Amino acid sequence: RDDSSWGGGGNAHVVVPKPKQPAGPPPIHYEVGADGTETSGCDPPLGPVQEEVDGLADILGQLPQGAAQLQYSISCEIPHYQVMVLTANDSEYTRYVEEATGTNVSFDEGDGSGGPEEGRPMTLVGQLLSVYTAHAMMMQKLRINEAEERKSAELPEDPAVLKSRIAELQAQLARVTGQGGY
């Protein structure tokens, strides 16, 4: 075997196709920016990671001929509560990622009995570029979900709304302390 092409020397050239966009739209709303604010014109999941995918494709072009087309497997542990996000609606988003990247995504069984932080292995199988694209899409979904949760948990900045919320909490406190005999 001639490895003279490894490391950029020689004439090896690997053409790595970019992952295809699935025929339909992503299964849920993706118009939330990294800071949790809504954006207008946000690309579907492949858009924000495309620059990284292009960089990886450049690196893959330096691999020995055929190496990028082999089947690879990567695994990482995902907390149970995040697996629930990725597998909601009968694994709709996971199927979307599989279709978009040509990979197989699977989660080891777990019931969350070890608590919400209990890790469950997620395994992605496919061509090298596709596996890392699928991984990036799954992680992006989790980051978008976290941003949406943070945004919904934030208190409004309107003083009138805050005063109203304080009054509600004080009324609840008065009911609780009045019923408890304190």
Side-chain angles (χ1 to χ4, degrees), residues 21-49:
Q21 289 282 353
I28 61 170
H29 191 274
Y30 282 99
E31 307 229 355
V32 176
D35 62 354
T37 59
E38 208 165 298
T39 60
S40 59
C42 181
D43 292 334
L46 287 181
V49 298

Side-chain angles (χ1 to χ4, degrees), residues 116-173:
E117 295 293 328
E118 174 188 26
R120 285 181 54 193
M122 175 179 71
T123 303
L124 302 102
V125 178
Q127 291 183 358
L128 194 58
L129 181 60
S130 298
V131 166
Y132 283 103
T133 301
H135 182 265
M137 290 173 71
M138 298 297 265
M139 295 301 105
Q140 181 183 23
K141 167 75 169 158
L142 294 176
R143 299 307 163 254
I144 288 171
N145 186 67
E146 288 174 359
E148 289 172 345
E149 286 178 354
R150 275 193 311 274
K151 185 177 181 181
S152 67
E154 291 177 4
L155 292 174
E157 293 183 23
D158 180 4
V161 173
L162 291 173
K163 287 179 183 177
S164 171
R165 181 71 180 133
I166 290 170
E168 289 173 22
L169 291 171
Q170 287 174 333
Q172 287 177 1
L173 181 61

Side-chain angles (χ1 to χ4, degrees), residues 93-107:
Y93 186 76
T94 300
R95 286 194 316 270
Y96 172 76
V97 169
E98 289 175 329
E99 180 184 330
T101 62
T103 58
N104 181 350
V105 180
S106 62
F107 297 92

Side-chain angles (χ1 to χ4, degrees), residues 7-28:
N11 294 324
H13 180 71
V14 177
V15 177
V16 180
K18 291 182 182 177
K20 65 179 179 115
Q21 289 282 353
I28 61 170

